Amino acid sequence: LKRSLLLLGIQGAGKGTVGRLLARDQGMAHLSAGSLLRRHVHDGGPFGEEIKAQIDRGCGVSTEISYGLLKKALADASADRPLVLDGYPREQSEIEHLLELLGVNPTLVLHLQAPRPIAVARLLSRSACDDCDATFGPGVPPRFSGVCDDCGGKLASRKDDTPPAIRCRLDGWTRRGPRILERLREITGCTQIDSSRPIDQVMADVEEALSELPN
Ligand SMILES: [Zn+2]
């Protein structure tokens, strides 16, 4: 892998949107831990059913499942394109998995920071594409209402964006996030970005952080 960028932060901070825009505008390969899971659910089969059962409980899936899916996705990804990975690691133990999978330290770690009330409001008001999992909301509206910008798929709210499931996921990040970020800060450094602002301002900061990397 040439370069890898990790996007971390509380659910609703905008990781998926930033990843999607980096893929669209900079040609980066975007891998979302959550999207990989949902794609397998969509494909069905016993493995998809097991993932679905874990997701429906609202609190994410086991580290073994995430690791296996990511390993396969990274093996399939082109080594020439810079990678943007969003939403992984979610557990401290997954940091070692990640380093093993990448084979090198991540090039850049961005922590997208948004206050919890803003994150909750975004999760409750967003809709996701049935086909490609892109998300849209009041701050990043689709060009045509109810239709995905990227693939033309239908937008609907996600099953796990209910208040109790949101609370559970946010609590998980609040508990585990700081230690994950601390460890990554030791390994690679970590750039904080205030992602409670409008998306164009957030992207300007993301692009600046990328431009400061050595070639
Ligand atoms: Zn789509």
Side-chain angles (χ1 to χ4, degrees):
L1 275 169
K2 269 195 167 161
R3 275 184 170 185
S4 55
L5 161 62
L6 300 190
L7 294 173
L8 292 172
I10 198 165
Q11 285 72 18
K15 301 183 295 292
T17 299
V18 169
R20 186 169 71 78
L21 294 177
L22 286 173
R24 189 191 73 185
D25 299 338
Q26 308 225 7
M28 297 177 83
H30 177 208
L31 275 185
S32 154
S35 293
L36 284 175
L37 293 168
R38 285 185 289 274
R39 194 174 312 147
H40 278 76
V41 171
H42 197 261
D43 292 348
F47 187 47
E49 288 293 314
E50 169 56 26
I51 296 173
K52 182 175 182 307
Q54 294 194 18
I55 290 178
D56 285 350
R57 289 198 285 274
C59 261
V61 301
S62 67
T63 54
E64 290 79 9
I65 287 182
S66 296
Y67 173 79
L69 292 183
L70 204 58
K71 185 171 185 173
K72 182 168 182 323
L74 281 169
D76 293 343
S78 158
D80 299 331
R81 283 167 81 196
L83 172 78
V84 52
L85 177 60
D86 93 57
Y88 193 88
R90 237 174 250 207
E91 304 267 351
Q92 228 187 334
S93 61
E94 292 177 336
I95 295 175
E96 302 312 317
H97 290 168
L98 175 75
L99 295 177
E100 182 208 314
L101 290 171
L102 291 177
V104 289
N105 292 342
T107 320
L108 181 65
V109 177
L110 295 182
H111 176 204
L112 302 183
Q113 283 182 305
R116 185 168 170 137
I118 290 183
V120 171
R122 284 182 181 166
L123 293 170
L124 287 173
S125 63
R126 74 178 179 178
S127 54
C129 176
D130 274 350
D131 294 324
C132 77
D133 213 47
T135 53
F136 301 87
V140 274
R143 276 195 299 274
F144 303 102
S145 175
V147 180
C148 175
D149 279 8
D150 291 2
C151 76
K154 193 168 144 277
L155 302 180
S157 58
R158 244 185 222 161
K159 274 213 180 94
D160 61 343
D161 281 344
T162 61
I166 287 172
R167 197 177 316 124
C168 182
R169 301 208 302 283
L170 297 188
D171 286 348
W173 174 256
T174 304
R175 258 197 319 275
R176 291 184 289 265
R179 277 205 214 131
I180 292 171
L181 291 168
E182 189 179 279
R183 177 80 184 107
L184 288 169
R185 201 171 287 127
E186 291 165 4
I187 294 170
T188 287
C190 175
T191 303
Q192 317 268 359
I193 290 183
D194 171 8
S195 69
S196 65
R197 298 169 301 157
I199 187 65
D200 51 339
Q201 292 177 28
V202 174
M203 287 310 291
D205 281 3
V206 170
E207 279 157 24
E208 190 186 330
L210 282 168
S211 73
E212 283 168 359
L213 291 175
N215 277 313

